[in-house]
Amino acid sequence: MCGLSFGHKHAKEMHQHSGLKFPPLFVPAVGNFEKAMLVQIPLPLHSLQNQPNGELIHNTLKEYYQNEKYLYVAALNDDSLRQAKFFDAQAANDTNLVQVFVFANDKTKEALLIARLDKLGKGASGAAVQNLNIMLGLDEDLGLT
């Protein structure tokens, strides 16, 4: 099911694990790019009772994932985009990385989370290899790029 139909198969589990009152708006980016995947979650912070700011969201993610070998949290409001660069959907291709970006505007109380990954490498097949390695007590990297 396409992300633009608002019925993505992962929305229910995201809702369950996020603790949000309502399901998040989940927007996978579909484009003419090989292997790459962008997943976007807009956060209307103004709709929350305890409104976090961008720095809190970023720091929470950075701290939570600090020991994850294959997850990278970029700088808050990654300023490379402000230097007239486009967000390259394919920058994680041929890696086992999930790159997480937090963009926030505290004045308008809005934030956007973006995850960038190689959907073939870090997608289901790569995750299966990584999880099998962990379950068998092997090096997490075994068989991964």
Side-chain angles (χ1 to χ4, degrees), residues 30-145:
V30 179
N32 187 19
F33 32 81
E34 184 180 337
K35 299 193 259 184
M37 182 174 191
L38 296 177
V39 178
Q40 304 169 77
I41 302 176
L43 300 174
L45 303 177
H46 52 77
S47 67
L48 301 174
Q49 279 186 337
N50 299 318
Q51 299 172 0
N53 62 24
E55 186 175 359
L56 177 62
I57 294 168
H58 176 264
N59 289 343
T60 301
L61 289 170
K62 190 146 182 87
E63 182 180 322
Y64 186 81
Y65 291 114
Q66 69 183 343
N67 296 320
E68 291 298 324
K69 189 173 191 174
Y70 295 111
L71 196 136
Y72 167 77
V73 179
L76 177 62
N77 294 320
D78 184 4
D79 64 354
S80 67
L81 296 179
R82 300 190 194 292
Q83 299 166 7
K85 295 181 182 178
F86 289 97
F87 195 85
D88 181 3
Q90 300 182 95
N93 278 10
D94 301 318
T95 74
N96 191 45
L97 285 174
V98 174
Q99 299 167 329
V100 175
F101 299 83
V102 178
F103 299 98
N105 183 328
D106 292 337
K107 290 180 186 172
T108 61
K109 298 184 188 274
E110 298 170 299
L112 177 65
L113 303 181
I114 301 176
R116 173 170 57 193
L117 62 138
D118 178 330
K119 67 182 175 188
L120 298 180
K122 188 58 181 176
S125 61
V129 170
Q130 189 173 350
N131 287 325
L132 184 60
N133 288 341
I134 292 168
M135 289 173 24
L136 293 174
L138 302 172
D139 184 21
E140 186 176 358
D141 303 289
L142 190 64
L144 299 172
T145 52

Side-chain angles (χ1 to χ4, degrees), residues 1-9 26 28 30:
M1 176 78 44
C2 176
L4 298 178
S5 68
F6 303 107
H8 195 277
K9 62 185 176 182
F26 178 63
V30 179

